[in-house]
């Protein structure tokens, strides 16, 4: 019978020391993996502190803003150049009306990350159109995602929402306003056009069913081509799109807040409009995709 020789007590003590060192090393490894998550949480707290007492932003006095609610889902999505953020968050189980991601590379701690983010993105950090936040710290990169969660809403049929958008647009056009740096005087009302509404519906449906968000259709087509396919001969044409807004009022408000979309909406050269929304019936989130087409006929 094979026997194992007894090992000297000194060797056993050495093994215990080795084991203790190994356990300490493992504990050290575990501790080393925790700071990124902790520091990301610290960054969220620092951002909320900054919102409560912002001081200035880009050289101008800034108004305080309410705290943002930390959401783990917003810390779990790594945003890359080609990431469609809203879709990525929906895939992660956190559908949103809108979201914005900002990041900085290089800071060594949360305080330094906040300082870098303040310098470049203070207006984003102080935005009032978001209510939730998440942060990610990976390597030397710090990422912050701000979002407004999607609230499921039961919308009427698209012709009803289209007419609601027409009314809201004409109310907006009746008042002079600034769209970013451009000033627009009050413009004449636009009238409803069924062919433009058909082009709008086709694009909303395409985006909803194929889960993308772009002015180019899944076939590469443009609003000009979609209007032509719908039988509309145009002299000037423009398009606004949106995704996730629960009501026509929210969709139009979002367009008015965006300089480019606002300029389309206020353009006195447009005389006709069509609009529609579509929701993918198999979607768990009931995200509405909105399209608005402005044009002037030949």
């Amino acid at each position: 019978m094979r026997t194992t020789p007894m090992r000297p007590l000194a060797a056993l003590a050495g093994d215990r020391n080795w084991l203790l060192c190994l356990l300490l090393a493992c504990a050290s490894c575990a501790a080393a993996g925790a700071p990124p998550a902790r520091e990301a949480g610290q960054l969220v707290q620092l951002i909320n502190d900054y919102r409560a007492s912002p001081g200035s932003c880009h050289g101008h006095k800034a108004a305080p803003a309410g705290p943002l609610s930390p959401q783990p889902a917003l810390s779990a999505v790594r945003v890359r150049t080609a990431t469609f953020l809203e879709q990525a968050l929906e895939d992660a189980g956190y559908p949103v009306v809108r979201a914005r991601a900002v990041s900085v590379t290089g800071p060594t701690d949360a305080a330094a990350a906040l300082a870098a983010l303040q310098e470049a993105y203070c207006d984003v950090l102080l935005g009032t159109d978001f209510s939730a936040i998440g942060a990610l710290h990976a390597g030397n990169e710090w990422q912050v995602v701000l979002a407004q969660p999607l609230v499921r809403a039961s919308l009427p049929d698209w012709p009803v929402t289209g007419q609601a958008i027409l009314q809201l647009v004409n109310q907006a056009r009746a008042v002079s306003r600034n769209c970013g740096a451009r000033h627009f005087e009050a413009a004449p009302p636009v009238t409803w056009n069924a062919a433009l509404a058909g082009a709008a519906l086709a694009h909303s449906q395409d985006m909803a069913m194929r889960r993308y968000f772009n002015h180019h259709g899944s076939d590469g087509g443009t609003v000009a081509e979609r209007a032509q396919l719908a039988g509309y001969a145009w002299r000037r044409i423009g398009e606004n799109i949106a995704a996730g807004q629960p009501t026509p009022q929210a969709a139009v408000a979002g367009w008015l807040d965006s300089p480019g979309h606002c300029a389309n909406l206020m353009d006195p050269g447009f005389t006709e409009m069509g609009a529609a929304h579509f929701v993918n019936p198999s979607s768990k989130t009931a995200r509405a995709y909105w399209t608005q087409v402005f044009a002037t006929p030949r």
Side-chain angles (χ1 to χ4, degrees):
M1 182 177 66
R2 184 176 180 182
T3 60
T4 301
M6 294 291 292
R7 301 182 66 185
L9 290 176
L12 291 174
D15 284 352
R16 285 196 298 270
N17 290 338
W18 174 84
L19 180 59
L20 179 60
C21 289
L22 178 61
L23 291 173
L24 289 173
C26 289
S28 177
C29 289
R38 284 204 303 266
E39 290 202 335
Q42 291 171 5
L43 178 58
V44 168
Q45 183 58 56
L46 289 173
I47 289 172
N48 275 333
D49 292 345
Y50 170 58
R51 287 170 62 88
S53 183
S56 64
C57 175
H58 299 317
H60 302 286
K61 183 175 176 58
L68 300 169
S69 173
Q71 296 294 327
L74 300 181
S75 302
V77 174
R78 190 76 178 270
V79 180
R80 301 300 187 189
T81 303
T83 301
F84 175 20
L85 181 55
E86 286 83 355
Q87 189 63 63
L89 291 172
E90 181 175 322
D91 292 341
Y94 193 86
V96 298
V97 174
R98 68 187 72 86
R100 176 77 184 272
V102 294
S103 64
V104 291
T105 301
T108 56
D109 57 36
L114 175 64
L117 288 164
Q118 280 179 275
E119 183 176 357
Y121 305 109
C122 62
D123 52 339
V124 178
L125 299 182
L126 298 174
T128 57
D129 50 352
F130 301 114
S131 63
I133 187 173
L136 175 68
H137 179 203
N140 64 349
E141 180 183 0
W142 300 77
Q143 173 188 287
V144 174
V145 176
L146 304 143
Q148 181 61 37
L150 175 67
V151 178
R152 293 178 65 95
S154 179
L155 287 163
D157 291 341
W158 73 264
V160 177
T161 60
Q163 289 295 323
I165 289 174
L166 175 68
Q167 181 179 359
L168 291 165
V169 165
N170 283 332
Q171 289 175 359
R173 286 169 68 92
V175 180
S176 64
R177 70 183 64 246
N178 292 327
C179 296
R182 296 179 61 187
H183 179 75
F184 287 84
E185 296 296 335
V190 290
T191 58
W192 184 260
N193 182 275
L196 294 178
L201 177 61
H203 192 49
S204 288
Q205 184 174 13
D206 192 37
M207 290 192 293
M209 298 304 292
R210 290 172 173 80
R211 298 178 64 177
Y212 73 93
F213 185 70
N214 199 297
H215 285 287
H216 284 88
S218 59
D219 61 355
T222 65
V223 61
E225 294 166 331
R226 289 189 287 273
Q228 288 176 336
L229 287 173
Y232 189 93
W234 54 271
R235 180 163 55 87
R236 298 184 69 237
I237 196 162
E239 179 182 73
N240 288 342
I241 59 175
Q245 288 76 5
T247 63
Q249 290 78 8
V252 173
W255 287 326
L256 287 172
D257 284 341
S258 168
H261 296 90
C262 176
N264 272 345
L265 195 148
M266 293 297 297
D267 192 331
F270 290 136
T271 60
E272 296 183 320
M273 190 204 85
H277 82 278
F278 192 85
V279 176
N280 185 336
S282 65
S283 170
K284 295 179 181 179
T285 60
R287 177 188 296 276
Y289 287 79
W290 304 83
T291 305
Q292 175 183 53
V293 182
F294 293 100
T296 303
R298 289 181 186 168

